[in-house]
Amino acid sequence: MADKKIIAVLGSTGSQGGSLCRAILADSAGGFACRAVTRDTGKDKAKALATAGAQVVKADLDDIESLKKAFAGAHGVYAVTNFWEHFSGAKEKAQAKNVADAAKAAGVKHVIWSTLEDIRQFMKPDDKRMPMLQQTYRVPHFDAKAEANAFFKGLPTTFLVTSYYWDNLYMFGHAPKKGADGQLAWAFPMGTAKMAGIAAEDIGKAAYGIFKAGNEFVGKTVGILGEALTIEQMGKTLSKVMGVGPIKYNAVEADVYRGFGFPGADELGNMFQAYRDFDKQMLANRSVDVSRKLNSALQSFEQFVTKQKAAIKTAMGI
């Protein structure tokens, strides 16, 4: 590790950070070493990274001193926060500030900050189409990250704008399910708009491409996606790969989705509505060509579904 540039990876046992760790470890001749940062070094995923050759270190996003130690001597930092752990935009911002301040203290040469748009910039304050959440935000896990961009000013940062994880099909129960009539169906407030999606694995590979590019993307915003598809198109692909009949798409209104009552339903209702109502802006901020330049193995939705067929099939209950 001494002769390689160390990348300290936050969220190393999660989707984005884990995929970056694997990308670094898979490229033994790439000139980079993986320092996997986690709160729990005893986790199975952390142990697996250590076995694969990562240096696993303990740190907490709420503890800036632990972050400073984790970043010491590192060339780069992959900075990502996990809104879904606490559902608080304010906490996400506080954690991002800790990360940025610790990176400054450590003198790292390149930070990639995993961020998203501020949906409030697309709407007037008195717009009633979408409720304000947490008194401040339209889509907290988007808006708070966008606000946190300011903390990284003055650092050599690439602002990486990600997309909807297709992995949510099996990780968070977004896959179609059989109804009482036995037909597979799913509901989203997306209308006929195309949603930018990506395999989480490809986020890490794109981030690795950014680090490998040196200073090319420092100070720039890079938006990535695997493919932009309507829910109908996604359903047809799932039907084809899974070998099942047509999947019914219930194009519900956002207010209906927000009222479904599961944890985060209002947040996700607002997020899907943002992808629907501001699809032109969202798609303009992301480029398949750039994504493929950074990651030549970029997956289409069909390739992703084929690769994750077993997990998705289980999630669909078929």
Side-chain angles (χ1 to χ4, degrees):
M1 187 173 278
D3 59 341
K4 292 186 175 185
K5 294 177 178 177
I6 297 169
I7 305 297
V9 183
L10 297 176
S12 61
T13 60
S15 296
Q16 291 189 36
S19 64
L20 173 56
C21 287
R22 290 187 290 275
I24 296 170
L25 293 168
D27 186 15
S28 58
F32 292 91
C34 175
R35 180 180 290 167
V37 183
T38 179
R39 279 177 312 188
D40 184 1
T41 56
K43 261 187 185 177
D44 287 344
K45 288 182 178 179
K47 289 178 180 177
L49 287 170
T51 300
Q55 176 193 14
V56 179
V57 300
K58 185 174 183 176
D60 192 311
L61 295 182
D62 297 319
D63 180 356
I64 190 170
E65 294 305 319
S66 72
L67 291 170
K68 288 177 183 177
K69 289 177 184 175
F71 298 165
H75 166 80
V77 168
Y78 186 74
V80 62
T81 49
N82 184 10
F83 171 87
W84 303 104
E85 189 174 79
H86 46 70
F87 293 84
S88 167
K91 181 160 185 170
E92 193 162 31
K93 279 180 59 184
Q95 291 181 337
K97 187 176 190 304
N98 283 344
V99 173
D101 289 348
K104 286 173 188 172
V108 301
K109 301 295 191 293
H110 193 174
V111 176
I112 296 178
W113 164 234
S114 178
T115 188
L116 289 162
E117 292 92 343
D118 190 333
I119 303 304
R120 295 167 299 184
Q121 293 182 358
F122 302 150
M123 308 177 74
K124 292 180 179 179
D126 60 352
D127 194 320
K128 302 299 184 188
R129 282 177 295 169
M130 182 188 296
M132 298 295 287
L133 302 179
Q134 301 179 23
Q135 289 79 52
T136 306
Y137 306 111
R138 293 293 188 176
V139 184
H141 78 282
F142 272 62
D143 302 350
K145 287 184 181 72
E147 279 190 2
N149 290 354
F151 301 139
F152 293 88
K153 298 292 170 64
L155 272 167
T157 303
T158 303
F159 299 89
L160 182 64
V161 178
T162 62
S163 294
Y164 174 81
Y165 294 2
W166 291 328
D167 308 65
N168 289 333
L169 291 174
Y170 62 88
M171 288 173 57
F172 291 107
H174 290 183
K177 304 283 194 309
K178 279 187 179 179
D181 60 358
Q183 183 178 7
L184 285 162
W186 53 359
F188 291 98
M190 281 293 301
T192 59
K194 289 185 175 181
M195 180 167 62
I198 195 167
E201 195 71 20
D202 286 334
I203 298 175
K205 288 178 179 178
Y208 185 46
I210 290 170
F211 280 125
K212 286 196 295 182
N215 293 325
E216 182 180 348
F217 297 100
V218 170
K220 295 181 179 177
T221 298
V222 178
I224 57 172
L225 78 160
E227 200 172 0
L229 297 168
T230 66
I231 302 299
E232 287 275 15
Q233 289 172 324
M234 292 172 71
K236 285 179 180 176
T237 297
L238 283 168
S239 179
K240 172 186 169 184
V241 176
M242 297 295 162
V244 295
I247 293 169
K248 184 181 179 183
Y249 167 37
N250 295 313
V252 298
E253 284 303 315
D255 276 341
V256 172
Y257 195 95
R258 285 187 280 266
F260 281 167
F262 61 83
D266 53 354
E267 172 86 16
L268 287 174
N270 282 16
M271 180 194 78
F272 287 124
Q273 184 177 353
Y275 273 116
R276 181 193 73 190
D277 292 357
F278 311 112
D279 57 333
K280 287 182 175 62
Q281 296 98 315
M282 301 286 265
L283 295 177
N285 289 341
R286 294 159 174 81
S287 166
V288 171
D289 290 341
V290 171
S291 303
R292 191 168 287 115
K293 176 186 174 185
L294 293 169
N295 165 27
S296 61
L298 184 71
Q299 299 168 79
S300 67
F301 183 63
E302 184 167 343
Q303 288 170 325
F304 167 80
V305 172
T306 301
K307 186 176 179 181
Q308 302 296 340
K309 185 174 180 179
I312 297 171
K313 198 170 184 179
T314 299
M316 291 172 69
I318 57 176

